[in-house]
Amino acid sequence: MSPFITRDGSPTTGTAAKTGSYPTAMAVSKAVEEDYEPAPESHPPAPVEQVLHNRSTRHVAERPLYAPSHRKALHSAKLAALHARLSLPSKLPLQTLARCLIDSSADPRPGYNNAPLAILGQDLLGYYTAEYILCHYPRLPMAILFAAQYAYVGNATLAAMRSEWGVETVGAPGQEVEPGLLQLKRLMPGNAMLEGENIRVRDMPQARRLGSGRRNEAFDYRRGMSSRVVYDDQFGDLQTGLPPNDARPFFGAPISTPNTTSDVEGTSNEAQPQRDASALSVHDPPEGPQTVEDTEPTTVELASASFVRALAGALYLHAGATASKTFHKDHVLSRHVQLHTLFHFTHPTRDLSNLCKREGFEPPVARLISETGRLSRTPVFVVGVFSGEEKLGEAAGASLNEARIRAAAAALRSWYLYSPPETEICLPSDAEGLASISKGRGKANHKEANMPWKPQMIDIGEIIT
Amino acid sequence: MASTLFARTLRPSITAAESTGYICQSCRRQESTYRRTRKALRVKPDPSFLPSKTETQDHIIFNPPSSAPSVYHTPSLFLPQDDPRRRVHTRASSAGANPPSTPGISRVPSATATVPPTKDRTLLPSVRPTYEKKYHVTPEQVEEIRRLRQEDPRQWTRVRLAERFECSQFFISLCCSAPEVKAEHDKALEEIKKKWGRRKAEAREARKERKKLWGMDA
């Protein structure tokens, strides 16, 4: 008995991309359409040498498949049910939804897996989330921004989203499995025993993951908040898994070697054209893993996050910015993040008096509002922090000191959690492209053209402890 | 905040000096440790913490403190100049001297709510003694502070220097320091801490951890 609910029984959603009315979507899926030739079922995945041999001599059609073919996607009940359950627009074909479910650990080739879509989706989700937080809470400190960003679109949240959507994972990826499952090669658990040895996986010496080679990854680099803003990813975490600095941006890209003509000129002129030809050769054998045996296994959390991100990217390509923004609003912003629990002040009273000094307020004074049981075992003091006559914060505590410090922290929280009125908030992504629309279509989109861009509040910054 | 509706004379006093009148200091008994840490903690829980008798299924209990103000309600002082809510606040406060309808106090209330606000009204008592910064220490005095501390750091401690020059101990620490005396003190403190038993050491550690939660609203 399938728990999935479909809007209508027949999966009619796959036909949109074939009509050719969506050039961006077609441009992306063109490579897929060419490459996804079904391999004979009897052939196991070919070894590397054979693949390279095939590339040079035979037709492209004989490349092996490590994940289910896109032709199966139209006949998958799970995919159609997922498409309907998420209320995805019919412009998004089932084939692309199936491709979003193929993690790069299941198929390392970027023409087949969801990695390119996930990169686009990660940027889109990050952009929409960041603009939402920044416009709604313009005074948030940088650390809270990073934490809120991670709470909205971090790996853990997206993994929870995947399981809430009812997308299940495969035991092992393969051509014959159901295409509605998340295809990934699972990482062996750390406390599993190695085969034939009396030792756990986590106790084995492991090679360090290659980083980006930036200097903030050195062990003695002091990673402050500024370094996180400049070097690190949208969550303020180290960017692992980046290619090294001299890596090619994509497979087969020409690499320009540093020009040493001053040395070469004197020695031999015949070597020069050869060097140029080799430097700009596009037909090099592609780098990186090409078969599923060579890929690094991954965790379900990472693969789930890449699936959700790829879906957001695919929505943008197939159905446009509005659809991806609606997707973000429905699935990301609908999750409630309690921003006031993210704060951790170490010296709230000092920060508050610094804030009052900076803003030109009267210095804060803690005053006792009410109390009970001063001489009992469980006293409660209610203390408010006042600047002049205005109350800035209030808190209760079991001692005067505790209540005073808690009240100062509450005052700081209410400073940082200021939100402009809803009528004043205008997200950049809502306003972008409006000028061209109003110019091009005249009064057709009068309602949208009525919403001009408003400059948003920008705060001068947090209090540095 | 119902207590603010009463006159201050009706409320129980908050100063310790007045409480000595009705509490017998000499007859207070030291409770034994067992009673203090075990028996006295066996209190009947609030009914809202017990399993509900009316709800048969799992349900959400939302039971916040009745008067805790939300940090999402920005105080009017923290609103930017061009925020429309600021105008609403000032209009509401200038409309009349009658107390606001919301239970939270947005301003320092006067002793009796009916008296119109004046300059010299009685404010709520401050938690700590208030003081004005005087900025009265001259460079010569700073030099003298340093000289005294240098000559006899055991005699001229931070406290004594602060008393003599009528400034804060923090200011004295900005002027001078005595690292060798501090090392001695730290060593002596370590010796004392070594003699602590398990319970005392754990209690101190737990207190530190609890203090960290003050800044986390937990």
Side-chain angles (χ1 to χ4, degrees):
Chain A
M1 184 65 191
S2 171
F4 300 147
I5 303 155
T6 52
R7 273 181 304 188
D8 49 2
S10 59
T12 57
T13 49
T15 56
K18 291 178 184 173
T19 58
S21 57
Y22 310 109
T24 53
M26 284 304 291
V28 168
S29 56
K30 193 182 167 192
V32 182
E33 298 285 338
E34 284 176 356
D35 285 351
Y36 266 12
E37 291 297 328
E41 292 284 330
S42 58
H43 282 192
V48 187
E49 293 83 5
Q50 194 186 338
V51 173
L52 295 181
H53 183 66
N54 287 351
R55 278 173 172 271
S56 54
T57 58
R58 292 195 214 164
H59 194 253
V60 192
E62 305 208 0
R63 287 182 197 168
L65 279 176
Y66 307 121
S69 157
H70 72 289
R71 292 175 195 282
K72 281 186 176 178
L74 284 181
H75 308 293
S76 164
K78 273 184 191 286
L79 272 180
L82 178 67
H83 195 286
R85 194 170 340 122
L86 296 184
S87 301
L88 296 175
S90 57
K91 289 178 184 176
L92 183 81
L94 285 181
Q95 288 95 333
T96 312
L97 186 58
R99 184 178 162 183
C100 290
L101 284 164
I102 300 175
D103 187 68
S104 57
S105 63
D107 193 338
R109 296 164 297 181
Y112 294 76
N113 62 22
N114 65 8
L117 295 170
I119 290 174
L120 176 64
Q122 177 170 17
D123 288 349
L124 279 173
L125 290 181
Y127 166 50
Y128 292 147
T129 313
E131 69 168 8
Y132 174 83
I133 304 173
L134 277 173
C135 289
H136 280 80
Y137 300 98
R139 281 179 185 159
L140 279 188
M142 206 60 217
I144 310 297
L145 266 183
F146 279 145
Q149 183 89 356
Y150 190 81
Y152 272 117
V153 286
N155 288 339
T157 311
L158 297 188
M161 211 181 279
R162 192 266 312 159
S163 68
E164 284 162 17
W165 287 349
V167 178
E168 292 158 341
T169 57
V170 295
Q175 193 185 340
E176 68 286 351
V177 299
E178 160 70 40
L181 300 174
L182 180 60
Q183 315 275 328
L184 79 155
K185 193 163 113 184
R186 279 167 183 270
L187 189 70
M188 196 187 276
N191 54 0
M193 301 299 284
L194 273 181
E195 246 179 76
E197 305 209 22
N198 198 10
I199 191 170
R200 290 185 191 276
V201 172
R202 64 165 173 235
D203 297 333
M204 288 291 290
Q206 291 177 342
R208 279 196 67 188
R209 286 192 71 181
L210 281 179
S212 59
R214 286 164 155 170
R215 68 192 181 99
N216 67 327
E217 289 177 358
F219 74 98
D220 54 349
Y221 187 83
R222 187 165 172 267
R223 291 178 64 235
M225 203 44 79
S226 313
S227 150
R228 277 160 205 253
V229 173
V230 173
Y231 286 125
D232 296 349
D233 65 0
Q234 55 175 320
F235 311 122
D237 295 333
L238 274 180
Q239 300 198 3
T240 53
L242 278 184
N245 283 336
D246 54 346
R248 303 176 180 210
F250 55 91
F251 293 146
I255 286 185
S256 63
T257 50
N259 203 352
T260 53
T261 46
S262 57
D263 298 332
V264 175
E265 269 178 0
T267 55
S268 66
N269 284 330
E270 295 90 43
Q272 188 72 15
Q274 275 188 356
R275 174 185 292 266
D276 284 348
S278 66
L280 294 177
S281 66
V282 187
H283 301 291
D284 281 353
E287 295 170 359
Q290 287 300 305
T291 60
V292 70
E293 286 84 11
D294 299 340
T295 55
E296 286 285 321
T298 185
T299 59
V300 174
E301 182 177 291
L302 282 177
S304 313
S306 78
F307 157 59
V308 180
R309 287 180 181 133
L311 184 55
L315 266 177
Y316 182 81
L317 290 175
H318 281 278
T322 319
S324 63
K325 208 159 158 30
T326 313
F327 173 83
H328 178 262
K329 184 163 167 274
D330 290 346
H331 291 106
V332 176
L333 293 184
S334 63
R335 304 176 84 87
H336 183 56
V337 175
Q338 289 190 316
L339 285 175
H340 67 274
T341 57
L342 299 180
F343 290 89
H344 181 194
F345 299 107
T346 49
H347 300 94
T349 48
R350 195 171 73 192
D351 289 358
L352 184 64
S353 62
N354 279 347
L355 172 74
C356 289
K357 202 189 290 174
R358 188 186 86 178
E359 298 294 323
F361 304 147
E362 287 184 47
V365 180
R367 297 184 186 279
L368 189 57
I369 293 175
S370 69
E371 64 166 293
T372 176
R374 180 182 279 257
L375 296 176
S376 74
R377 194 176 162 282
T378 50
V380 175
F381 300 95
V382 179
V383 167
V385 177
F386 294 82
S387 167
E389 292 191 353
E390 297 282 344
K391 194 180 78 173
L392 307 180
E394 179 189 321
S399 69
L400 283 172
N401 238 1
E402 179 186 352
R404 183 175 62 92
I405 290 171
R406 281 182 184 274
L412 280 175
R413 250 179 239 118
S414 62
W415 166 265
Y416 285 133
L417 287 172
Y418 163 74
S419 183
E422 198 62 38
T423 53
E424 297 296 312
I425 293 174
C426 179
L427 299 182
S429 66
D430 285 338
E432 74 186 6
L434 281 184
S436 60
I437 286 173
S438 58
K439 222 182 273 176
R441 297 184 188 170
K443 289 173 184 175
N445 267 340
H446 190 65
K447 187 190 162 199
E448 288 185 5
N450 263 344
M451 196 178 59
W453 163 251
K454 284 181 195 164
Q456 297 294 291
M457 174 184 165
I458 295 175
D459 191 61
I460 63 170
E462 64 203 84
I463 305 293
I464 307 294
T465 304
Chain B
M1 221 42 61
S3 59
T4 55
L5 301 177
F6 301 117
R8 284 203 58 209
T9 48
L10 294 181
R11 282 194 280 154
S13 170
I14 55 170
T15 50
E18 297 173 31
S19 63
T20 52
Y22 57 88
I23 290 203
C24 172
Q25 296 287 351
S26 57
C27 54
R28 284 179 75 191
R29 214 180 60 168
Q30 188 67 37
E31 281 186 316
S32 68
T33 303
Y34 174 77
R35 184 180 162 79
R36 186 162 45 82
T37 57
R38 297 265 184 269
K39 204 171 173 186
L41 292 178
R42 280 186 217 132
V43 284
K44 197 181 174 191
D46 191 83
S48 62
F49 285 103
L50 294 174
S52 171
K53 284 167 187 157
T54 55
E55 298 286 337
T56 53
Q57 292 178 334
D58 277 355
H59 60 286
I60 295 173
I61 300 173
F62 182 64
N63 190 15
S66 57
S67 62
S70 165
V71 290
Y72 291 95
H73 295 165
T74 314
S76 56
L77 192 64
F78 283 170
L79 292 172
Q81 288 297 330
D82 55 348
D83 198 284
R85 283 167 286 188
R86 200 180 177 97
R87 270 181 284 127
V88 175
H89 285 199
T90 48
R91 205 185 303 147
S93 62
S94 63
N98 37 341
S101 56
T102 50
I105 312 166
S106 64
R107 293 171 164 270
V108 180
S110 51
T112 53
T114 52
V115 174
T118 50
K119 290 279 181 190
D120 54 348
R121 63 186 178 181
T122 323
L123 293 173
L124 287 171
S126 176
V127 170
R128 300 169 115 198
T130 51
Y131 64 94
E132 288 282 323
K133 288 189 180 175
K134 288 185 280 188
Y135 302 104
H136 64 286
V137 183
T138 59
E140 295 78 39
Q141 284 176 316
V142 172
E143 283 306 315
E144 198 188 347
I145 290 171
R146 286 183 181 154
R147 186 181 58 78
L148 288 172
R149 182 87 167 151
Q150 181 91 37
E151 281 174 2
D152 192 358
R154 274 168 246 287
Q155 161 66 23
W156 289 107
T157 59
R158 251 167 54 153
V159 180
R160 285 186 188 138
L161 283 171
E163 277 172 5
R164 168 158 175 177
F165 291 94
E166 293 176 353
C167 58
S168 66
Q169 297 182 30
F170 174 69
F171 183 78
I172 300 292
S173 73
L174 290 181
C175 295
C176 55
S177 65
E180 64 281 356
V181 178
K182 183 172 187 308
E184 275 177 30
H185 277 285
D186 287 348
K187 206 176 165 190
L189 192 60
E190 282 303 314
E191 288 298 318
I192 294 172
K193 282 184 181 175
K194 271 183 197 165
K195 289 177 192 162
W196 287 353
R198 191 177 63 89
R199 296 178 72 136
K200 185 158 185 171
E202 280 180 0
R204 296 286 179 124
E205 201 59 36
R207 188 185 298 173
K208 261 191 218 164
E209 291 301 312
R210 279 203 308 275
K211 276 196 175 184
K212 277 186 202 164
L213 298 181
W214 294 0
M216 294 169 64
D217 196 17

